[in-house]
């Protein structure tokens, strides 16, 4: 089939890379794409938020599947426009995408479906904000109601900072006309779990963990994600089955009951708390940078899986196949990210990674562009996702950071501790198991 991917970040590069390796894909297009995606797909120009334009492009290309990557086009109804043209599309309707587009709507769905989540208040006035902050106490968790590119959450011990963010959310407005969600703090590690669904059948993928803070040790400001790894050796082996039964399937069933079935990628951001699994948030698309590591381990051809979700035939898909190893991705970001990033700087070393580390380490482009001479330049906050696979987390992590060391970008920043603790803990557990077996 011919496939058109909408978007231009590292998530879309990961999708295009996997699709390009699928023998059933006869032609691959991406709009607008980026400098790295151009190596595996033909780029096209389109306004990703214009559903009619996307649908027309898909029809002109003869696409048998459209994959909408980012959240903003989904919330804007791009998938609806493509479906109306009779073209299979992987991505939920605008109504179903409200699960990500409005935190308040997501809380309402979870309450109706009996999905475990943090207690919360939806606030529209300063008085409601103060009451909610007093009710929960520190640490305070304040969320934008609408889309915020992964940076709309403030977690702080400072009540003044929490109040300021909440008031800014209300003043900025959201789907609900100016509101913010304030909720209780959830202790415990966070997990990202994706699921492919056609609105009835739900197929969970493998869990991953990402790193939101800009600096080592989870310090610094919140970002869109500075790295990720999969699998999670410390997680309960029953975690995926538990989340499928208590979170994913009930949510899909509730949306179908409401007449707004969710077809596409349902992303559950989870906290493994002392009281059990709790949902932090839902997203309506593949997450970035978790997609980079999840797809690196997926052996099942991607195009057929996404097409089955788009055409309501997911129940007929065989069990998903996964590699036994691990994957780690490290994000290289521009100077000053997550503030206003510096762009236009040349990126060196990409060929060296391909020559010396491929195919087990590779670079996925996020914010890049090519100049007239063909040189690759930085063009965003998160510039590259350096991704590697290995027999275990230690091997994958070492390979990823070795590749990072070959890349030169003036003023660039990256975390040095992605997956470090998980790799060390897994290595210690393996040593203890070996010692026990020998004893």
């Amino acid at each position: 089939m011919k496939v058109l991917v909408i978007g231009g970040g590292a998530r879309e590069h990961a999708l295009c890379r996997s699709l390009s390796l699928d023998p059933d894909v006869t032609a691959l297009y991406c709009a607008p794409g980026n400098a790295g995606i151009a190596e595996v797909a033909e780029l096209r120009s389109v306004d990703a938020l214009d559903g009619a334009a996307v649908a027309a492009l898909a029809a002109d290309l003869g696409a048998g599947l459209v994959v909408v990557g980012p959240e903003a086009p989904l919330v804007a109804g791009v998938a609806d426009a493509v479906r109306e043209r009779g073209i299979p599309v992987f991505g939920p309707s605008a109504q179903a995408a409200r699960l990500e587009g409005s935190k308040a709507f997501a809380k309402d769905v979870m309450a109706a479906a009996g999905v475990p989540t943090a207690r919360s208040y939806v606030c529209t006035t300063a008085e409601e904000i103060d009451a909610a902050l007093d009710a929960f106490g520190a640490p305070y968790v304040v969320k934008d109601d609408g889309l915020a590119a992964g940076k709309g959450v403030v977690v702080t011990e400072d009540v003044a900072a929490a109040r300021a963010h909440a008031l800014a959310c209300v003043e900025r407005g959201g789907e609900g006309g100016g509101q913010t969600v304030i909720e209780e703090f959830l202790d415990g590690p966070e997990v990202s779990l994706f699921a492919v669904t056609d609105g009835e059948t739900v197929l969970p993928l493998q869990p991953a963990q990402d790193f939101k803070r800009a600096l080592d040790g989870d310090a610094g400001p919140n970002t869109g994600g500075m790295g990720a790894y999969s699998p999670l050796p410390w997680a309960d082996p029953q975690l995926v089955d538990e989340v499928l039964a208590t979170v994913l399937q009930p949510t899909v069933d509730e949306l179908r009951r409401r007449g707004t079935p969710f077809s596409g990628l349902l992303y559950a951001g989870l906290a493994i708390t002392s009281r059990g699994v709790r949902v932090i948030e839902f997203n309506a698309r593949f997450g970035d940078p978790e997609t980079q590591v999840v797809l690196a381990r997926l052996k099942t051809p991607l195009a057929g899986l996404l097409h089955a979700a788009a055409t309501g035939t997911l129940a007929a898909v065989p069990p998903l196949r996964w590699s036994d190893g691990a994957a780690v991705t490290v994000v290289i970001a521009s100077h000053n990210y997550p503030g206003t990033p510096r762009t236009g700087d040349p990126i060196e070393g990409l060929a060296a990674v391909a020559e010396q580390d491929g195919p087990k380490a590779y670079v996925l482009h996020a914010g890049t562009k090519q100049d007239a001479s063909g040189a690759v330049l930085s063009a965003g906050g998160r510039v590259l996702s350096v991704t590697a696979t290995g027999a275990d987390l230690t091997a994958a992590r070492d390979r990823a950071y070795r590749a990072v060391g070959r890349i030169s970008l003036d003023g660039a920043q990256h975390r040095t501790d992605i997956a470090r603790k998980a790799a060390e803990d897994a290595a210690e557990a393996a040593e203890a198991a070996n010692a026990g077996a020998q004893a």
Side-chain angles (χ1 to χ4, degrees), residues 420-439:
R420 181 168 61 197
K421 184 177 188 305
E424 291 171 350
D425 290 349
E428 290 177 5
E431 289 179 8
N434 289 334
Q438 293 173 0

Side-chain angles (χ1 to χ4, degrees), residues 41-435:
E42 293 185 38
L43 303 190
R44 293 291 188 271
S45 297
V46 76
D47 180 352
L49 297 177
D50 186 337
V54 172
L57 174 62
D60 289 345
L61 295 173
L65 175 66
V66 175
V67 180
V68 183
E71 59 273 25
L74 293 169
V75 172
V78 168
D80 300 89
V82 176
R83 282 195 187 90
E84 289 171 3
R85 291 289 291 263
I87 301 170
V89 57
F90 183 80
S93 67
Q95 285 297 311
R98 293 176 67 210
L99 204 59
E100 176 170 4
S102 170
K103 300 293 188 296
F105 174 76
K107 287 290 186 180
D108 183 66
V109 170
M110 283 188 272
V115 170
T117 186
R119 293 180 297 120
S120 64
Y121 294 101
V122 177
C123 304
T124 59
T125 67
E127 292 75 19
E128 290 175 349
I129 289 168
D130 290 338
L133 294 174
D134 288 344
F136 289 132
Y140 304 98
V141 181
V142 183
K143 299 182 176 182
D144 286 75
D145 180 57
L147 298 179
K151 294 176 284 186
V153 180
V154 166
V155 181
T156 179
E157 298 280 344
D158 184 346
V159 67
R163 188 174 191 272
H165 183 69
L167 288 171
C169 292
V170 169
E171 292 168 1
R172 183 162 51 248
E175 183 194 269
Q179 57 189 12
T180 185
V181 175
I182 297 175
E183 63 184 38
E184 67 175 328
F185 176 77
L186 296 175
D187 65 320
E190 295 185 12
V191 173
S192 299
L193 184 60
F194 302 163
V196 175
T197 178
D198 58 8
E200 292 192 20
T201 301
V202 181
L203 284 184
L205 306 185
Q206 289 289 298
Q209 186 174 60
D210 76 331
F211 295 76
K212 287 293 188 187
R213 297 289 183 173
L215 307 176
D216 285 2
D218 289 330
N222 214 28
T223 73
M226 295 298 291
Y229 69 94
S230 179
L232 311 182
W234 50 267
D236 187 326
Q238 301 302 314
L239 175 64
V240 173
D241 290 340
E242 178 187 348
V243 175
L244 174 61
T246 63
V247 174
L248 300 171
Q249 191 70 58
T251 299
V252 169
D253 291 345
E254 172 61 19
L255 287 169
R256 187 176 66 254
R257 186 193 67 78
R258 293 179 178 221
T260 55
F262 188 106
S263 171
L265 196 289
L266 179 57
Y267 166 154
L270 309 166
I272 314 302
T273 77
S274 56
R275 294 174 291 140
V277 174
R278 297 290 186 272
V279 174
I280 300 171
E281 65 176 357
F282 282 126
N283 291 330
R285 39 70 192 182
F286 280 101
D288 182 347
E290 300 98 321
T291 299
Q292 288 86 303
V293 292
V294 172
L295 292 187
R297 298 185 54 233
L298 179 65
K299 296 176 69 175
T300 297
L302 184 61
L305 174 63
L306 303 188
H307 188 268
T311 56
T313 59
L314 204 56
V317 171
L320 301 181
R321 297 182 292 115
W322 299 90
S323 69
D324 293 330
V328 172
T329 193
V330 179
V331 171
I332 296 178
S334 293
H335 174 73
N336 200 43
Y337 178 77
T340 302
R342 192 175 75 204
T343 60
D345 291 313
I347 303 168
E348 305 290 344
L350 297 175
V353 174
E355 293 169 2
Q356 301 180 49
D357 302 301
K360 292 186 176 179
Y362 48 89
V363 180
L364 299 170
H365 292 230
T368 67
K369 65 179 180 181
Q370 281 185 304
D371 65 11
S373 68
V376 179
L377 309 178
S378 63
R382 291 186 296 171
V383 181
L384 304 169
S385 285
V386 181
T387 305
T389 58
D392 54 28
L393 280 177
T394 296
R397 187 175 183 277
D398 289 347
R399 189 169 283 140
Y401 276 105
R402 190 159 55 245
V404 167
R406 302 190 199 281
I407 296 172
S408 174
L409 171 62
D410 187 44
Q413 56 178 315
H414 68 272
R415 284 184 58 159
T416 65
D417 62 347
I418 302 300
R420 181 168 61 197
K421 184 177 188 305
E424 291 171 350
D425 290 349
E428 290 177 5
E431 289 179 8
N434 289 334

